[in-house]
Amino acid sequence: MSVFILALETSCDETSASVVADGTEVLSNIISSQIDVHRKFGGVVPEVASRKHLELLNQVVGEALTAAGLTLDALGAVAVTYGPGLVGALLVGVSAAKAIAYGLNIPLVGVNHLEGHIYANFLCEPGLDFPLLCLIVSGGHTDLVYMAKHGDCRVIGRTRDDAAGEAFDKVARVIGLGYPGGPLIDRLAREGNPKAISLPRAYLEEGSLDFSFSGLKSAVIYTLQRAEQRGEEINKADLAASFQEALIDVLVDKTFTAAQDTGVSTILLAGGVSANSRLRLAITERAAGSNYRMVVPPPVLCTDNAAMVACAGYYKLLRGATAPLTLNAVPDLKL
Ligand code: KG4
Ligand code: ZN
């Protein structure tokens, strides 16, 4: 008999609920984005995000069950993101999940949001062989993760300053594109020349798998300021394309160096920035020219969603890693 897991994701500005059967079959994945609410503030306002989650969650859960063609009594477990993220936003999902688990007397599974992002890959390819390497690129994280087996994640490289998504969003703001910046830069960059403007690529010291994107962000700001002082017009599409290319060059190079260092044969891509069309193409092309198996989830599973949380929750459930009803939100939860 199938195990149906209901998962909730409320760590940032997406209210999402999903039902997944046996960790592989996505029966529903409802995502209600709050982008329109936060856009006028130029970024996510934590208090507003919590209130919106409260307003939306019951309805989103109802829609997820209806779309899956199930009622609450069919559920085998409830999984929820309990960190990292905005504490008030996380608490809405965690409280709701605890109430559902208690009311139905079913297991509760707490999921690390980053592990959720990684498990989007297992939704697409359930039979992946270990060990694996995963590049997680999101709004708050840029991590290279080595996975020896399910649930065994070791961060072997991380950003020392801005996360990749943060750099996209900040650069979009200074170019005057609006929020959220990642998808807007992605689109504008398609019309630009990635070689038009020379920008720095930070590889850091020999052998380091860490990242640094704040210098690149500052270089974009100086380029704009210099042009303004000289009264010159900067081609925004060229600037967006050059910035994106510099960032992606480093991401892809370091990922393949890490793959070689660790001896893995499979590489996964995860997190909101992996919805970026240029990154998807660049990393797939590099893998095609080598012997690595590359997995790139569809964009809807790259950005925040509850289906990935259900999948990670399923594998935790199989290992018996359930949570007590005292589960709390952990805003700075580590992998
Ligand atoms: O994983 P995610 O949805 O939320 C976090 O866990 O942070 O990632 C959000 C980040 C934002 O910075 C957003 O601008 C970026 O992912 N993003 C993109 C694209 N789509 C979303 N960045 C570049 N290109 C995209 N197409
Ligand atoms: Zn995320």
Side-chain angles (χ1 to χ4, degrees):
M1 218 175 79
S2 288
V3 178
F4 298 113
I5 296 192
L6 169 71
L8 311 182
E9 158 62 47
T10 64
S11 65
C12 191
D13 61 343
E14 259 92 31
T15 314
S16 181
S18 162
V19 180
V20 171
D22 301 322
T24 52
E25 199 190 339
V26 181
L27 302 183
S28 62
N29 189 20
I30 309 294
I31 306 164
S32 174
S33 173
Q34 304 177 5
I35 282 176
D36 290 340
V37 181
H38 297 286
R39 184 174 284 123
K40 53 181 171 293
F41 303 107
V44 179
V45 182
E47 178 62 23
V48 174
S50 317
R51 285 167 192 267
K52 270 282 154 198
H53 286 308
L54 264 180
E55 227 174 273
L56 295 166
L57 190 58
N58 277 349
Q59 190 186 333
V60 167
V61 168
E63 282 178 35
L65 287 166
T66 305
L70 297 174
T71 48
L72 281 169
D73 56 335
L75 299 177
V78 55
V80 63
T81 301
Y82 72 108
L86 304 169
V87 68
L90 288 164
L91 276 171
V92 177
V94 169
S95 308
K98 290 201 289 193
I100 294 168
Y102 179 67
L104 298 175
N105 195 22
I106 55 174
L108 173 70
V109 186
V111 172
N112 182 311
H113 181 75
L114 299 171
E115 200 170 335
H117 274 305
I118 296 174
Y119 273 81
N121 288 274
F122 287 90
L123 273 177
C124 313
E125 305 267 347
L128 289 170
D129 288 327
F130 293 97
L132 305 159
L133 179 79
C134 183
L135 171 68
I136 307 178
V137 270
S138 71
H141 293 81
T142 302
D143 291 334
L144 277 166
V145 179
Y146 176 80
M147 265 183 102
K149 59 181 191 310
H150 281 296
D152 183 353
C153 298
R154 187 157 56 89
V155 179
I156 57 171
R158 56 170 64 77
T159 182
R160 294 185 184 171
D161 40 59
D162 291 351
E166 194 181 350
F168 266 100
D169 294 339
K170 286 178 177 168
V171 164
R173 196 173 308 145
V174 296
I175 298 183
L177 296 182
Y179 166 86
L184 298 170
I185 291 202
D186 188 351
R187 209 171 311 144
L188 182 62
R190 285 177 210 160
E191 296 154 28
N193 173 5
K195 295 199 170 77
I197 299 160
S198 163
L199 292 169
R201 284 144 174 82
Y203 285 93
L204 305 174
E205 62 279 1
E206 177 89 36
S208 173
L209 294 174
D210 284 350
F211 301 94
S212 168
F213 297 120
S214 66
L216 171 61
K217 174 192 66 188
S218 301
V220 171
I221 296 170
Y222 294 144
T223 305
L224 281 166
Q225 283 173 347
R226 246 188 336 259
E228 199 179 320
Q229 279 159 9
R230 292 178 187 157
E232 292 166 5
E233 191 66 37
I234 279 265
N235 181 319
K236 288 186 176 180
D238 283 350
L239 187 56
S242 301
F243 157 76
Q244 179 176 271
E245 201 68 9
L247 188 141
I248 289 174
D249 274 355
V250 179
L251 286 178
V252 174
D253 284 347
K254 293 233 175 197
T255 301
F256 284 86
T257 303
Q260 203 171 12
D261 288 358
T262 53
V264 301
S265 50
T266 304
I267 303 173
L268 317 179
L269 189 59
V273 179
S274 51
N276 181 274
S277 58
R278 179 70 196 128
L279 172 60
R280 298 167 75 85
L281 186 69
I283 207 159
T284 310
E285 277 178 359
R286 178 76 75 93
S290 64
N291 289 323
Y292 293 103
R293 177 174 183 200
M294 186 76 224
V295 185
V296 179
V300 69
L301 296 177
C302 291
T303 46
D304 288 351
N305 69 91
M308 68 186 196
V309 178
C311 181
Y314 174 75
Y315 288 95
K316 281 192 91 166
L317 187 68
L318 288 187
R319 316 194 276 281
T322 56
L325 288 174
T326 51
L327 180 72
N328 205 351
V330 184
D332 59 350
L333 185 67
K334 303 281 181 288
L335 252 186

